[in-house]
Amino acid sequence: MYKKALTPRLMRTTATVPRMYVEKKNDFPIVLVHGAVGWGEDDLWNKFMRYYGFVRMDIPKMYRMMGIECCSPGLGPYNCIWDRACDLWAQLTGGTTDYGIVHSARYHHDRYGRTYDKPLIKDWGKLDDEGKRKKICLIAHSFGAPTIRAFMSILAEGSAEEREATPENELSEFFKGGKADWVHAMTTFAGVNNGLTLVEIFPEAFLSVGWSGLHFLISLIMGMLVGFVGMLLIDSVSTYTALGSIAVVGLLAFVFTLPMTYTNMRYILNDGIGYWSNLFSHYGKGM
């Protein structure tokens, strides 16, 4: 029964499926945090393809149809974990993003970011008439996983160096800490909790293999596009047809980019195979 509720065909009828299979046990809002190269509900790209829900679904909307407060803020596709955590705080509570005096000076960027007029979660952290605190549930994918872990750490402990360097009247509430009980639960899926391996793979790959590294990157990008097309197809045609289409187009993408490596062909066919094998064997550990 539970699997049946999660099939794409039934998930289109989001008005009835959640009520049939999901039991709501609390009223805590849900915050969906995207990964690297991701986007939020209010970002332009979300109009064409939703990060949480892809093309045929809208998971934040589905939660709201269930009567659960939900939001999916955009934290920037390439921002570091600290900046993402600070921006998440600003969006949830409303106000201007403060990256901190120490952090902004250390990494040579502006201390303040965007200003958000309205909080995404109204009255978050406040006590109701019964003395119960309004908490949130954090759900994160990919690079969103270490983001919410850092976010939770700063909520609980704050930042000692920011407290020491910042005048009291300028210090962000986020850096003060003492808010561990503002979060009810954290859930991550496909989380890169050991960090992103690509940031270590690509510099070495480009320096060592030159054009073959570029060929690998282009093939990877083409593969992602092929995967996108394949996921569109997989719900409207048979699984075998979709997988066959991915295989054929993927092969064509590889052949198409092969001329770029012509001058380096000898390396690829000889030492290159061993290099890539050792490289992925080394960086694949702990993934």
Side-chain angles (χ1 to χ4, degrees):
M1 180 183 290
Y2 200 70
K3 283 186 179 180
K4 192 175 181 181
L6 297 178
T7 58
R9 186 177 300 277
L10 284 177
M11 286 302 276
R12 293 182 198 141
T13 60
T14 53
T16 58
V17 172
R19 294 185 178 89
M20 291 168 58
Y21 294 96
V22 179
E23 179 185 354
K24 188 171 73 169
K25 296 185 177 181
N26 60 63
D27 294 319
F28 298 137
I30 293 176
V31 179
L32 300 172
V33 180
H34 65 77
V37 201
W39 57 92
E41 281 188 284
D42 295 331
D43 293 327
L44 178 62
W45 184 244
N46 199 66
K47 297 182 182 297
F48 305 97
M49 183 176 70
R50 291 170 286 277
Y51 187 89
Y52 282 103
F54 205 62
V55 176
R56 301 180 183 276
M57 291 173 54
D58 189 335
I59 292 178
K61 183 179 179 180
M62 183 191 74
Y63 275 123
R64 289 191 285 267
M65 290 175 66
M66 295 166 60
I68 301 174
E69 190 176 355
C70 180
C71 64
S72 178
L75 304 179
Y78 309 110
N79 293 351
C80 70
I81 290 177
W82 177 277
D83 290 358
R84 285 163 60 92
C86 293
D87 203 41
L88 180 58
W89 166 265
Q91 292 191 53
L92 294 180
T93 59
T96 301
T97 302
D98 184 354
Y99 299 115
I101 288 179
V102 177
H103 176 85
S104 58
R106 179 180 297 153
Y107 295 100
H108 311 289
H109 65 69
D110 293 339
R111 174 183 172 184
Y112 296 104
R114 293 182 180 181
T115 298
Y116 303 95
D117 297 329
K118 296 181 179 180
L120 290 178
I121 306 296
K122 186 178 180 181
D123 297 329
W124 176 41
K126 294 183 178 180
L127 300 175
D128 60 17
D129 295 337
E130 298 179 359
K132 296 180 180 180
R133 191 175 303 281
K134 183 174 182 178
K135 305 180 182 183
I136 60 172
C137 296
L138 294 166
I139 300 177
H141 167 252
S142 186
F143 194 57
T147 298
I148 64 171
R149 290 174 61 190
F151 179 75
M152 186 68 225
S153 176
I154 300 174
L155 274 181
E157 302 175 6
S159 172
E161 60 180 8
E162 293 295 347
R163 289 195 295 269
E164 292 176 2
T166 310
E168 180 63 28
N169 63 332
E170 295 182 15
L171 183 64
S172 168
E173 285 293 325
F174 187 41
F175 301 139
K176 293 181 180 180
K179 304 174 182 65
D181 60 342
W182 284 30
V183 174
H184 176 67
M186 294 194 304
T187 303
T188 70
F189 61 101
V192 288
N193 290 301
N194 291 328
L196 288 172
T197 53
L198 284 179
V199 297
E200 298 184 67
I201 291 176
F202 279 117
E204 183 177 350
F206 282 116
L207 289 174
S208 302
V209 300
W211 279 105
S212 61
L214 180 60
H215 174 227
F216 173 78
L217 177 60
I218 294 176
S219 296
L220 179 65
I221 294 174
M222 294 290 285
M224 292 173 66
L225 294 176
V226 170
F228 172 77
V229 174
M231 291 182 71
L232 288 177
L233 290 174
I234 204 157
D235 191 45
S236 57
V237 299
S238 69
T239 302
Y240 295 108
T241 302
L243 293 178
S245 301
I246 293 174
V248 171
V249 180
L251 179 60
L252 291 175
F254 183 82
V255 172
F256 177 76
T257 57
L258 198 58
M260 289 184 169
T261 65
Y262 178 78
T263 57
N264 213 12
M265 185 64 70
R266 183 179 176 209
Y267 177 87
I268 298 171
L269 294 179
N270 296 316
D271 299 335
I273 294 176
Y275 172 81
W276 286 111
S277 175
N278 292 334
L279 182 67
F280 283 102
S281 174
H282 172 72
Y283 285 108
K285 296 176 180 179
M287 290 180 66

